[in-house]
Amino acid sequence: MRQPAAAATTAGGDVAVEVTAKFFRALGDPTRLRLLEFLLDAEHTVTECVAHVGLAQSRVSTHLACLADCGYVTARRQGRFSYYRAADPRVATLIAAAHSLAADHGAALDACTRIEAAPGCPGTP
């Protein structure tokens, strides 16, 4: 397994911790998580993603752009269509572990009032 590069520290704290927190914030939105799970096994068009999550195309496109900007998905253009897919297969393992942990701690997570839903990317509600 690759070791992370040494991160510089700033007055605000460890840069690696800030980047890792941002990594998880991108997954903190239920729509982005649903889209990413949908894209783990196969590539899909925006139209297929819209049908899967049931939101307007503009909202889905914004979420896909966030996932692409954060490195979770890649897009391939073919004619008029863009095909999205998960960029890194390790994300599937991470999501499976998260589901397992969430199931084990469901009652505590349901009762938690300190963490509110927050956008992971600018411009996404």
Side-chain angles (χ1 to χ4, degrees):
M1 180 176 242
R2 217 172 68 196
Q3 293 296 319
T9 55
T10 64
D14 188 359
V15 172
V17 170
E18 296 298 324
V19 170
T20 302
K22 191 171 187 178
F23 172 89
F24 282 108
R25 278 195 309 273
L27 297 177
D29 180 89
T31 298
R32 284 194 293 274
L33 189 55
R34 277 190 207 100
L35 285 168
L36 187 55
E37 288 177 339
F38 184 56
L39 298 169
L40 287 173
D41 295 325
E43 65 181 12
H44 294 280
T45 64
V46 174
T47 303
E48 292 169 327
C49 291
V50 166
H52 181 72
V53 297
L55 295 175
Q57 182 177 342
S58 62
R59 298 272 321 249
V60 171
S61 292
T62 300
H63 284 297
L64 288 170
C66 176
L67 290 169
D69 289 348
C70 292
Y72 285 103
V73 301
T74 59
R76 174 181 66 83
R77 291 272 312 163
Q78 184 173 339
R80 296 181 4 218
F81 298 99
S82 289
Y83 293 85
Y84 289 86
R85 70 178 313 149
D88 189 328
R90 295 177 294 176
V91 173
T93 304
L94 175 69
I95 291 173
H99 280 300
S100 177
L101 285 164
D104 290 349
H105 301 280
L109 290 167
D110 284 341
C112 180
T113 59
R114 296 183 185 268
I115 297 175
E116 295 181 27
C121 290
T124 56

